[in-house]
């Protein structure tokens, strides 16, 4: 059986390096793991599903909303390769700093994590993006994030605990639903 890009990314970016030292022994558990500040490192099976739905291509410009520990940002960087770019944003400044340190340890210079700007969803000043991954549950589909997608861009986001794939084609936006999931709230 051949390994696809998502399988290779998981092999290249071990979860252990993105967990608190006391919890690294739990890295192989298929469960969310606390990272502090009421946040978690998402369940690997959920991350895998989201990455497959996102369909990142080499060279894509990607936004990672809710970057947390930096694991998804590193996985996305592995998928884009050095011809792409990945910008992670995290609402909790302490987690943004820790996630950036974790990311720096795995050497993806085309990826970065920064603290989110208060009151701003995403990073519109750096867009538009080919792909947007959101690892927090929104109450509604945020128009602000849809506006940050390129024409033909794709976003994966949990909305009211339903995983949505959002595709923007010009002024048209289509969504499809892909199961129920639990995430911390998007604030």
């Amino acid at each position: 059986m051949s390994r696809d890009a998502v399988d290779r990314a998981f092999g290249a970016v071990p979860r252990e390096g993105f967990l608190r030292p006391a919890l690294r022994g739990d890295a192989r558990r298929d469960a969310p793991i606390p990272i502090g500040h009421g946040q978690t490192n998402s369940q690997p099976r959920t991350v895998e599903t989201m990455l497959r739905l996102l369909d990142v291509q080499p060279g894509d410009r990607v936004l990672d909303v809710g970057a947390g520990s930096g694991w998804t940002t590193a996985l996305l960087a592995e998928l884009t390769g050095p011809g792409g770019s990945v910008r992670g944003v995290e609402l909790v400044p302490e987690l943004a700093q820790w996630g950036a340190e974790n990311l720096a340890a795995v050497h993806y210079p085309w990826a970065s994590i920064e603290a989110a700007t208060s009151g701003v969803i995403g990073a519109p000043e750096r867009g538009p993006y080919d792909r947007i991954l959101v690892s927090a549950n929104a109450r509604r589909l945020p128009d602000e994030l849809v506006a940050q997608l390129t024409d033909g861009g794709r976003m994966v986001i949990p909305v009211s605990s339903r995983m949505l794939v959002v595709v923007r084609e010009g002024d048209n936006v289509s969504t499809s639903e892909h199961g129920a999931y639990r995430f911390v709230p998007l604030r």
Side-chain angles (χ1 to χ4, degrees):
M1 174 193 266
S2 68
R3 291 171 39 128
D4 69 2
V6 172
D7 288 337
R8 287 191 301 273
F10 270 81
V13 184
R15 189 182 190 201
E16 289 86 347
F18 298 88
L19 298 174
R20 301 288 182 195
L23 296 173
R24 287 183 179 159
D26 293 335
R28 296 199 187 285
R29 285 184 42 229
D30 191 30
I33 296 177
I35 58 172
H37 304 276
Q39 309 295 317
T40 63
N41 178 286
S42 295
Q43 178 177 2
R45 186 172 21 143
T46 300
V47 173
E48 178 186 1
T49 297
M50 292 174 79
L51 292 177
R52 290 187 188 288
L53 291 171
L54 195 60
D55 191 29
V56 174
Q57 299 299 308
D60 276 351
R61 296 188 71 226
V62 182
L63 176 64
D64 185 17
V65 178
S69 70
W71 187 44
T72 54
T73 308
L75 288 165
L76 290 164
E78 181 68 24
L79 291 168
T80 68
S85 66
V86 182
R87 166 124 3 241
V89 292
E90 170 54 50
L91 186 62
V92 179
E94 296 85 357
L95 285 180
Q97 180 178 346
W98 180 60
E101 291 166 2
N102 292 338
L103 183 62
V106 292
H107 308 293
Y108 291 102
W110 57 94
S112 63
I113 297 173
E114 60 192 38
T117 303
S118 181
V120 176
I121 298 176
E125 73 286 356
R126 306 279 178 110
Y129 304 95
D130 301 304
R131 300 289 187 266
I132 299 176
L133 180 70
V134 182
S135 297
N137 189 44
R139 288 191 294 264
R140 60 166 182 77
L141 180 60
D143 294 333
E144 307 96 307
L145 285 177
V146 174
Q148 293 173 52
L149 283 170
T150 60
D151 189 10
R154 186 178 187 97
M155 174 169 50
V156 173
I157 179 173
V159 176
S160 297
S161 299
R162 305 299 297 177
M163 192 64 68
L164 299 184
V165 173
V166 179
V167 178
R168 179 179 180 193
E169 298 285 350
D171 292 334
N172 297 320
V173 176
S174 63
T175 62
S176 57
E177 199 173 290
H178 299 269
Y181 293 84
R182 290 178 40 189
F183 280 88
V184 298
L186 179 66
R187 295 177 247 169

